[in-house]
Amino acid sequence: MAAKKSSGKPKNSVAAARGGKSGGGFTYKQVWEWFKSIAGTVAIFLVLRTFFVEAYRIPSGSMIPSMLVGDWLFVNKLVYGPHVPFTHMNLPGYGDPQRGDVVVFESPYQADEVPLGEDPTPTLVKRLIGMPGDTLYGRDGVVYVNGLAQRQGYTSPDQTKSDPNATSPLFDWQKKVGLKSSRFGAAPEQPKLDTWGPFVVPPGHYWMMGDNRYNSKDSRFWGFVPRANVRGRPLFVYYSYVPSDESDRVLSFITDIRWRRIGHWIK
């Protein structure tokens, strides 16, 4: 008895019934599995970035020599309690900011940045100088905390000093909180870059300053930082290069890498 020849139609009919395509095409099941894999990867990345570790680039010289323009850092967001996006709530962390820590935080509102088209609440990195309840003041470039002069070890010895008597309308907020009398003297009538305070850091707030004191827009300009604004603590430099405006090499982010900075822990 002769065998029937296959016309090929049954195979195509079965493939079609299974939701696939003939000729080696993708099945809907494969596409769905790939989509789930990609979505899962993105979700894990967002969770890690939001609650654990985030990359941050140093855009200015306010923290020289601790951090340089062109440094890329990993920031530990879990240590002080990660911020919940689109809310004013922070989750509990396993530590609290301490005097001397380098801290990443959301800046208090800076109205002067609005006319320039800049972000009025940028994410910044500075050193924590004053804790809640501390009495702070500056005299001749030296910062005093509760009457004790703070060591200058973090500041840059090569920083270019600007006019220590410089004033700015941005200092005027200090007039409302400056002490009229104290055992450390009275606050100046007009705060200056090097001469300000004394005043007391309010509860739940911190006083932040850049290590490069004469090239740092910090708490002297925009005030105390609420605890809720704290976002994390830098860990180490994972990549660093000389910025193009400071380098004589083409594509400096590739050709002028600071190899010695890579792996540098932030202190």
Side-chain angles (χ1 to χ4, degrees), residues 17-259:
R18 291 178 177 175
K21 294 181 180 180
S22 60
F26 301 124
T27 66
Y28 294 127
K29 183 177 181 180
Q30 286 177 317
V31 173
W32 176 242
E33 290 299 324
W34 288 339
F35 173 78
K36 289 195 297 183
S37 296
I38 294 173
T41 301
V42 172
I44 292 172
F45 167 77
L46 292 176
V47 169
L48 290 175
R49 182 180 183 275
T50 301
F51 299 107
F52 294 92
V53 178
E54 184 175 1
Y56 181 82
R57 179 180 66 88
I58 300 298
S60 74
S62 67
M63 286 297 290
I64 293 174
S66 301
M67 286 169 279
L68 308 179
V69 180
D71 279 354
W72 288 77
L73 321 170
F74 279 131
V75 176
N76 181 348
K77 303 185 76 172
L78 190 62
V79 57
Y80 301 138
H83 177 70
V84 179
F86 311 112
T87 72
H88 297 287
M89 182 177 67
N90 287 358
L91 298 178
Y94 60 84
D96 286 307
Q98 301 296 320
R99 187 183 297 113
D101 285 356
V102 177
V103 179
V104 175
F105 58 94
E106 181 182 304
S107 169
Y109 187 79
Q110 301 185 43
D112 60 301
E113 297 293 341
V114 176
L116 303 177
E118 300 293 335
D119 182 2
T121 58
T123 299
L124 304 176
V125 55
K126 306 287 182 185
R127 193 174 297 278
L128 194 161
I129 302 298
M131 299 287 289
D134 283 344
T135 300
L136 305 177
Y137 60 98
R139 295 293 183 270
D140 299 323
V142 179
V143 176
Y144 293 81
V145 178
N146 300 322
L148 301 177
Q150 300 303 291
R151 70 188 186 94
Q152 303 293 301
Y154 292 122
T155 60
S156 171
D158 301 322
Q159 62 182 306
T160 301
K161 290 189 176 182
S162 56
D163 182 3
N165 294 314
T167 61
S168 169
L170 299 179
F171 296 156
D172 288 349
W173 72 271
Q174 298 182 27
K175 297 178 182 179
K176 299 178 181 180
V177 298
L179 300 178
K180 304 303 180 183
S181 63
S182 74
R183 61 191 179 97
F184 310 116
E189 184 175 340
Q190 176 58 58
K192 301 175 183 178
L193 188 65
D194 268 0
T195 304
W196 44 269
F199 39 68
V200 178
V201 181
H205 290 72
Y206 303 107
W207 179 265
M208 307 287 191
M209 296 184 72
D211 289 352
N212 195 3
R213 299 285 169 78
Y214 292 93
N215 186 28
S216 174
K217 188 180 181 184
D218 48 37
S219 281
R220 293 170 294 181
F221 294 81
W222 33 251
F224 307 106
V225 176
R227 174 64 174 85
N229 286 31
V230 172
R231 296 291 179 262
R233 181 175 182 178
L235 293 172
F236 62 90
V237 177
Y238 70 88
Y239 183 65
S240 181
Y241 66 93
V242 180
S244 57
D245 57 349
E246 298 179 13
S247 176
D248 57 359
R249 300 182 183 181
V250 179
L251 301 176
S252 63
F253 66 94
I254 298 176
T255 59
D256 209 353
I257 298 174
R258 302 186 185 108
W259 295 103

